[in-house]
PDB file of all heavy atoms in Angstrom:
ATOM      1  N   PRO H 553       1.869 -24.737   3.559  1.00 94.00           N
ATOM      2  CA  PRO H 553       2.559 -25.246   2.361  1.00 94.00           C
ATOM      3  C   PRO H 553       3.893 -24.549   2.119  1.00 94.00           C
ATOM      4  O   PRO H 553       4.058 -23.357   2.394  1.00 94.00           O
ATOM      5  CB  PRO H 553       1.569 -24.928   1.231  1.00 94.00           C
ATOM      6  CG  PRO H 553       0.733 -23.804   1.756  1.00 94.00           C
ATOM      7  CD  PRO H 553       0.633 -24.004   3.228  1.00 94.00           C
ATOM      8  N   ALA H 554       4.826 -25.307   1.614  1.00 89.00           N
ATOM      9  CA  ALA H 554       6.125 -24.742   1.247  1.00 89.00           C
ATOM     10  C   ALA H 554       5.946 -23.784   0.065  1.00 89.00           C
ATOM     11  O   ALA H 554       5.034 -23.937  -0.747  1.00 89.00           O
ATOM     12  CB  ALA H 554       7.091 -25.860   0.878  1.00 89.00           C
ATOM     13  N   ASN H 555       6.820 -22.788   0.009  1.00 88.00           N
ATOM     14  CA  ASN H 555       6.848 -21.825  -1.111  1.00 88.00           C
ATOM     15  C   ASN H 555       5.546 -21.048  -1.276  1.00 88.00           C
ATOM     16  O   ASN H 555       5.196 -20.643  -2.380  1.00 88.00           O
ATOM     17  CB  ASN H 555       7.184 -22.537  -2.427  1.00 88.00           C
ATOM     18  CG  ASN H 555       8.541 -23.210  -2.381  1.00 88.00           C
ATOM     19  OD1 ASN H 555       9.483 -22.667  -1.811  1.00 88.00           O
ATOM     20  ND2 ASN H 555       8.634 -24.392  -2.974  1.00 88.00           N
ATOM     21  N   ALA H 556       4.824 -20.848  -0.173  1.00 94.00           N
ATOM     22  CA  ALA H 556       3.600 -20.043  -0.226  1.00 94.00           C
ATOM     23  C   ALA H 556       3.791 -18.796   0.623  1.00 94.00           C
ATOM     24  O   ALA H 556       4.431 -18.841   1.675  1.00 94.00           O
ATOM     25  CB  ALA H 556       2.397 -20.842   0.278  1.00 94.00           C
ATOM     26  N   TYR H 557       3.238 -17.702   0.165  1.00 95.00           N
ATOM     27  CA  TYR H 557       3.336 -16.432   0.888  1.00 95.00           C
ATOM     28  C   TYR H 557       2.109 -16.287   1.785  1.00 95.00           C
ATOM     29  O   TYR H 557       0.975 -16.270   1.297  1.00 95.00           O
ATOM     30  CB  TYR H 557       3.417 -15.275  -0.103  1.00 95.00           C
ATOM     31  CG  TYR H 557       3.395 -13.911   0.533  1.00 95.00           C
ATOM     32  CD1 TYR H 557       4.255 -13.590   1.577  1.00 95.00           C
ATOM     33  CD2 TYR H 557       2.506 -12.928   0.090  1.00 95.00           C
ATOM     34  CE1 TYR H 557       4.226 -12.340   2.169  1.00 95.00           C
ATOM     35  CE2 TYR H 557       2.479 -11.664   0.669  1.00 95.00           C
ATOM     36  CZ  TYR H 557       3.341 -11.379   1.717  1.00 95.00           C
ATOM     37  OH  TYR H 557       3.316 -10.132   2.296  1.00 95.00           O
ATOM     38  N   PRO H 558       2.298 -16.184   3.107  1.00 96.00           N
ATOM     39  CA  PRO H 558       1.151 -16.110   4.015  1.00 96.00           C
ATOM     40  C   PRO H 558       0.190 -14.964   3.692  1.00 96.00           C
ATOM     41  O   PRO H 558      -1.022 -15.090   3.876  1.00 96.00           O
ATOM     42  CB  PRO H 558       1.804 -15.907   5.390  1.00 96.00           C
ATOM     43  CG  PRO H 558       3.165 -16.507   5.257  1.00 96.00           C
ATOM     44  CD  PRO H 558       3.580 -16.235   3.838  1.00 96.00           C
ATOM     45  N   GLY H 559       0.727 -13.840   3.209  1.00 94.00           N
ATOM     46  CA  GLY H 559      -0.121 -12.706   2.877  1.00 94.00           C
ATOM     47  C   GLY H 559      -1.145 -13.027   1.817  1.00 94.00           C
ATOM     48  O   GLY H 559      -2.220 -12.421   1.771  1.00 94.00           O
ATOM     49  N   ASN H 560      -0.843 -13.978   0.933  1.00 95.00           N
ATOM     50  CA  ASN H 560      -1.796 -14.403  -0.091  1.00 95.00           C
ATOM     51  C   ASN H 560      -2.701 -15.525   0.404  1.00 95.00           C
ATOM     52  O   ASN H 560      -3.902 -15.538   0.125  1.00 95.00           O
ATOM     53  CB  ASN H 560      -1.065 -14.855  -1.351  1.00 95.00           C
ATOM     54  CG  ASN H 560      -0.424 -13.704  -2.094  1.00 95.00           C
ATOM     55  OD1 ASN H 560      -0.715 -12.543  -1.830  1.00 95.00           O
ATOM     56  ND2 ASN H 560       0.465 -14.003  -3.025  1.00 95.00           N
ATOM     57  N   VAL H 561      -2.123 -16.472   1.116  1.00 96.00           N
ATOM     58  CA  VAL H 561      -2.909 -17.612   1.594  1.00 96.00           C
ATOM     59  C   VAL H 561      -4.080 -17.148   2.452  1.00 96.00           C
ATOM     60  O   VAL H 561      -5.219 -17.603   2.280  1.00 96.00           O
ATOM     61  CB  VAL H 561      -2.014 -18.587   2.392  1.00 96.00           C
ATOM     62  CG1 VAL H 561      -2.873 -19.661   3.076  1.00 96.00           C
ATOM     63  CG2 VAL H 561      -0.991 -19.248   1.472  1.00 96.00           C
ATOM     64  N   PHE H 562      -3.827 -16.206   3.359  1.00 96.00           N
ATOM     65  CA  PHE H 562      -4.867 -15.793   4.295  1.00 96.00           C
ATOM     66  C   PHE H 562      -5.820 -14.752   3.715  1.00 96.00           C
ATOM     67  O   PHE H 562      -6.665 -14.212   4.428  1.00 96.00           O
ATOM     68  CB  PHE H 562      -4.237 -15.307   5.601  1.00 96.00           C
ATOM     69  CG  PHE H 562      -3.676 -16.431   6.430  1.00 96.00           C
ATOM     70  CD1 PHE H 562      -2.311 -16.674   6.451  1.00 96.00           C
ATOM     71  CD2 PHE H 562      -4.511 -17.268   7.138  1.00 96.00           C
ATOM     72  CE1 PHE H 562      -1.783 -17.719   7.193  1.00 96.00           C
ATOM     73  CE2 PHE H 562      -4.005 -18.323   7.883  1.00 96.00           C
ATOM     74  CZ  PHE H 562      -2.635 -18.556   7.913  1.00 96.00           C
ATOM     75  N   LYS H 563      -5.711 -14.488   2.419  1.00 95.00           N
ATOM     76  CA  LYS H 563      -6.702 -13.681   1.716  1.00 95.00           C
ATOM     77  C   LYS H 563      -7.568 -14.527   0.801  1.00 95.00           C
ATOM     78  O   LYS H 563      -8.378 -13.996   0.046  1.00 95.00           O
ATOM     79  CB  LYS H 563      -6.005 -12.602   0.880  1.00 95.00           C
ATOM     80  CG  LYS H 563      -5.309 -11.518   1.693  1.00 95.00           C
ATOM     81  CD  LYS H 563      -4.602 -10.533   0.787  1.00 95.00           C
ATOM     82  CE  LYS H 563      -3.855  -9.478   1.572  1.00 95.00           C
ATOM     83  NZ  LYS H 563      -3.075  -8.568   0.680  1.00 95.00           N
ATOM     84  N   ASN H 564      -7.401 -15.843   0.859  1.00 95.00           N
ATOM     85  CA  ASN H 564      -8.096 -16.740  -0.048  1.00 95.00           C
ATOM     86  C   ASN H 564      -8.830 -17.798   0.769  1.00 95.00           C
ATOM     87  O   ASN H 564      -8.197 -18.634   1.420  1.00 95.00           O
ATOM     88  CB  ASN H 564      -7.083 -17.386  -1.002  1.00 95.00           C
ATOM     89  CG  ASN H 564      -7.733 -18.258  -2.040  1.00 95.00           C
ATOM     90  OD1 ASN H 564      -8.399 -19.231  -1.715  1.00 95.00           O
ATOM     91  ND2 ASN H 564      -7.534 -17.926  -3.306  1.00 95.00           N
ATOM     92  N   GLN H 565     -10.161 -17.774   0.745  1.00 96.00           N
ATOM     93  CA  GLN H 565     -10.937 -18.649   1.615  1.00 96.00           C
ATOM     94  C   GLN H 565     -10.708 -20.125   1.319  1.00 96.00           C
ATOM     95  O   GLN H 565     -10.601 -20.939   2.245  1.00 96.00           O
ATOM     96  CB  GLN H 565     -12.419 -18.320   1.501  1.00 96.00           C
ATOM     97  CG  GLN H 565     -13.269 -19.123   2.482  1.00 96.00           C
ATOM     98  CD  GLN H 565     -14.723 -18.709   2.468  1.00 96.00           C
ATOM     99  OE1 GLN H 565     -15.075 -17.658   1.946  1.00 96.00           O
ATOM    100  NE2 GLN H 565     -15.585 -19.531   3.045  1.00 96.00           N
ATOM    101  N   SER H 566     -10.647 -20.497   0.052  1.00 96.00           N
ATOM    102  CA  SER H 566     -10.475 -21.916  -0.271  1.00 96.00           C
ATOM    103  C   SER H 566      -9.122 -22.424   0.216  1.00 96.00           C
ATOM    104  O   SER H 566      -9.015 -23.547   0.716  1.00 96.00           O
ATOM    105  CB  SER H 566     -10.622 -22.137  -1.776  1.00 96.00           C
ATOM    106  OG  SER H 566      -9.632 -21.429  -2.504  1.00 96.00           O
ATOM    107  N   ARG H 567      -8.070 -21.593   0.098  1.00 96.00           N
ATOM    108  CA  ARG H 567      -6.749 -22.016   0.569  1.00 96.00           C
ATOM    109  C   ARG H 567      -6.716 -22.106   2.092  1.00 96.00           C
ATOM    110  O   ARG H 567      -6.065 -22.985   2.662  1.00 96.00           O
ATOM    111  CB  ARG H 567      -5.672 -21.055   0.055  1.00 96.00           C
ATOM    112  CG  ARG H 567      -5.520 -21.102  -1.462  1.00 96.00           C
ATOM    113  CD  ARG H 567      -4.568 -20.042  -1.977  1.00 96.00           C
ATOM    114  NE  ARG H 567      -3.184 -20.380  -1.723  1.00 96.00           N
ATOM    115  CZ  ARG H 567      -2.146 -19.649  -2.139  1.00 96.00           C
ATOM    116  NH1 ARG H 567      -2.365 -18.531  -2.826  1.00 96.00           N
ATOM    117  NH2 ARG H 567      -0.917 -20.023  -1.884  1.00 96.00           N
ATOM    118  N   ILE H 568      -7.435 -21.211   2.756  1.00 97.00           N
ATOM    119  CA  ILE H 568      -7.509 -21.271   4.223  1.00 97.00           C
ATOM    120  C   ILE H 568      -8.246 -22.539   4.652  1.00 97.00           C
ATOM    121  O   ILE H 568      -7.837 -23.223   5.602  1.00 97.00           O
ATOM    122  CB  ILE H 568      -8.217 -20.028   4.788  1.00 97.00           C
ATOM    123  CG1 ILE H 568      -7.388 -18.770   4.518  1.00 97.00           C
ATOM    124  CG2 ILE H 568      -8.445 -20.173   6.291  1.00 97.00           C
ATOM    125  CD1 ILE H 568      -8.112 -17.477   4.863  1.00 97.00           C
ATOM    126  N   THR H 569      -9.327 -22.853   3.963  1.00 97.00           N
ATOM    127  CA  THR H 569     -10.101 -24.056   4.296  1.00 97.00           C
ATOM    128  C   THR H 569      -9.229 -25.301   4.199  1.00 97.00           C
ATOM    129  O   THR H 569      -9.248 -26.167   5.090  1.00 97.00           O
ATOM    130  CB  THR H 569     -11.323 -24.178   3.372  1.00 97.00           C
ATOM    131  OG1 THR H 569     -12.142 -23.009   3.512  1.00 97.00           O
ATOM    132  CG2 THR H 569     -12.142 -25.411   3.715  1.00 97.00           C
TER     133      THR H 569
END
Side-chain angles (χ1 to χ4, degrees):
N555 300 321
Y557 175 51
N560 289 346
V561 171
F562 287 102
K563 292 178 182 176
N564 184 299
Q565 185 175 345
S566 62
R567 294 174 75 176
I568 294 172
T569 301

